[in-house]
């Protein structure tokens, strides 16, 4: 199994992965786990997928490529075939586990003050995926880390740079959440979005992190193909439904993006 797993991740150009006994993972959504997984969970494969291929213009860099959920869906199908004969279920983003805690516990990186996983190779520009199985962790032939974890050096750059103060505890919502909020915004929320010059997401805490200064770009083709660094009203309206659905911001619908873009139109 060790060589099979290593070959799988090598073929997918994923270098950061590990395995933990299920008991080492903090389950925060037991209902989700019960719906998706049948059997007795014994181990969890954890992997960090690098996505950075360059900065966004007025959107977060994670949204520059096509929706990362599409990538993880394809990866999950491959893993399901690889693990045929045992029970398995894969998750990413919408996860029953505390993903960052599990990734740190598996030795993939440290937890930043901005609550993100920070890896040596790719900084915090990674997505975390997990596959729970009914195989004992030892069956994978991968080293199971000793108890422990890690934290970032704690320079505080991300706390100081947070546009809304939510990381410092002086604001309620992060800017990324504000750009995704449905309905009307308050004048203060509108000002925050205008000041940042963003219509979707926020990377400020990542941009100022010293551990992100020398990060490798993603070697995974999915994230460099069909890049769309920024959005305008013309681009948004010209996208057909199929193209729009393949973007990470599509789940919120066009109206939210259109509202945010209009803030800059009104300003000019």
């Amino acid at each position: 199994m060790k060589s099979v797993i290593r070959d799988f991740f090598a073929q997918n150009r994923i270098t950061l992965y590990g395995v933990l006994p299920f008991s080492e993972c903090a389950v925060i959504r037991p209902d989700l786990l019960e719906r998706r997984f049948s059997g007795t969970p014994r181990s969890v494969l954890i992997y960090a997928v690098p996505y950075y291929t360059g900065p966004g213009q007025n959107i977060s860099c994670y949204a520059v490529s096509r929706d990362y959920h599409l990538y993880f869906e394809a990866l999950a199908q491959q893993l399901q075939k690889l693990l045929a004969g045992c029970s398995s279920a894969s998750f990413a983003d919408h996860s029953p586990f505390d993903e960052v805690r599990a990734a740190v516990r598996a030795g993939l990186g440290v937890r930043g003050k901005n609550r993100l996983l920070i890896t040596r190779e790719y900084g915090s520009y990674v997505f975390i995926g997990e596959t729970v199985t009914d195989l004992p962790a030892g069956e994978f032939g991968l080293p199971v880390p000793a108890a422990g974890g890690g934290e970032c050096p704690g320079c505080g750059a991300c706390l100081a740079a947070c546009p809304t103060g939510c990381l410092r505890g002086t604001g309620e919502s992060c800017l990324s959440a504000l750009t995704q909020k449905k309905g009307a915004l308050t004048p203060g929320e509108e000002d925050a979005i205008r000041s940042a010059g963003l219509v979707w997401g926020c990377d400020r805490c990542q941009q100022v992190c010293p551990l992100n200064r020398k990060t490798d770009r993603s070697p995974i083709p999915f994230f460099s193909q069909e890049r769309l660094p920024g959005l305008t009203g013309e681009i948004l309206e010209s996208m057909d439904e199929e193209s729009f659905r393949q973007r990470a911001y599509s789940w919120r619908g066009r109206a939210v993006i259109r509202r945010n873009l209009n803030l800059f139109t009104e300003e000019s």
Side-chain angles (χ1 to χ4, degrees):
M1 180 64 79
K2 179 179 179 180
S3 61
V4 171
I5 290 296
R6 286 188 170 175
D7 287 348
F8 169 79
F9 284 118
Q11 289 166 7
N12 283 282
R13 303 186 185 185
I14 297 172
T15 58
L16 297 173
Y17 57 92
V19 64
L20 289 177
F22 178 78
S23 59
E24 294 286 342
C25 296
V27 179
I28 56 177
R29 287 288 309 277
D31 57 318
L32 180 58
L33 182 64
E34 290 170 4
R35 286 201 306 270
R36 295 277 307 279
F37 184 78
S38 60
T40 301
R42 293 189 173 91
S43 63
V44 182
L45 272 174
I46 302 159
Y47 31 96
V49 175
Y51 63 82
Y52 185 77
T53 58
Q57 294 169 358
N58 60 356
I59 61 175
S60 179
C61 62
Y62 86 85
V64 166
S65 67
R66 287 178 295 150
D67 187 354
Y68 63 95
H69 293 96
L70 301 174
Y71 174 81
F72 276 101
E73 287 170 9
L75 200 68
Q77 291 174 6
Q78 294 178 53
L79 276 167
Q80 188 173 26
K81 293 178 181 177
L82 190 69
L83 298 171
C86 73
S87 294
S88 68
S90 295
F91 305 90
D93 186 24
H94 190 52
S95 173
F97 307 105
D98 181 333
E99 294 185 306
V100 175
R101 179 185 183 276
V104 171
R105 178 70 184 81
L108 305 191
V110 299
R111 182 190 293 269
K113 296 296 183 185
N114 57 0
R115 304 161 197 161
L116 300 176
L117 174 70
I118 306 176
T119 69
R120 182 184 299 274
E121 297 87 345
Y122 303 105
S124 57
Y125 297 113
V126 294
F127 299 122
I128 305 171
E130 315 88 37
T131 298
V132 58
T133 85
D134 60 359
L135 294 173
E139 288 288 320
F140 291 95
L142 302 175
V144 177
E151 295 287 339
C152 71
C155 70
C158 61
L159 305 183
C162 179
T164 63
C166 73
L167 291 180
R168 300 187 297 275
T170 58
E172 294 183 0
S173 298
C174 78
L175 184 65
S176 181
L178 293 183
T179 65
Q180 300 174 45
K181 179 180 176 181
K182 295 187 73 172
L185 298 170
T186 67
E189 291 170 341
E190 291 180 348
D191 288 342
I193 292 175
R194 284 197 196 97
S195 297
L198 294 165
V199 298
W200 184 266
C202 179
D203 290 326
R204 189 58 183 153
C205 66
Q206 300 192 88
Q207 291 167 343
V208 300
C209 177
L211 299 181
N212 277 340
R213 285 177 186 159
K214 295 182 180 180
T215 57
D216 295 336
R217 296 203 174 199
S218 177
I220 300 172
F222 177 92
F223 297 104
S224 58
Q225 297 167 347
E226 300 183 48
R227 297 178 74 255
L228 185 58
L231 284 172
T232 64
E234 292 75 15
I235 290 174
L236 181 66
E237 301 308 331
S238 68
M239 295 172 71
D240 61 34
E241 285 306 306
E242 178 59 27
S243 298
F244 184 68
R245 280 198 299 269
Q246 293 201 18
R247 297 292 163 177
Y249 36 79
S250 65
W251 69 278
R252 250 324 179 205
R254 295 179 193 254
V256 168
I257 307 294
R258 194 178 291 121
R259 177 203 65 195
N260 296 342
L261 285 167
N262 286 340
L263 293 176
F264 300 95
T265 303
E266 293 167 5
E267 186 180 42
S268 60

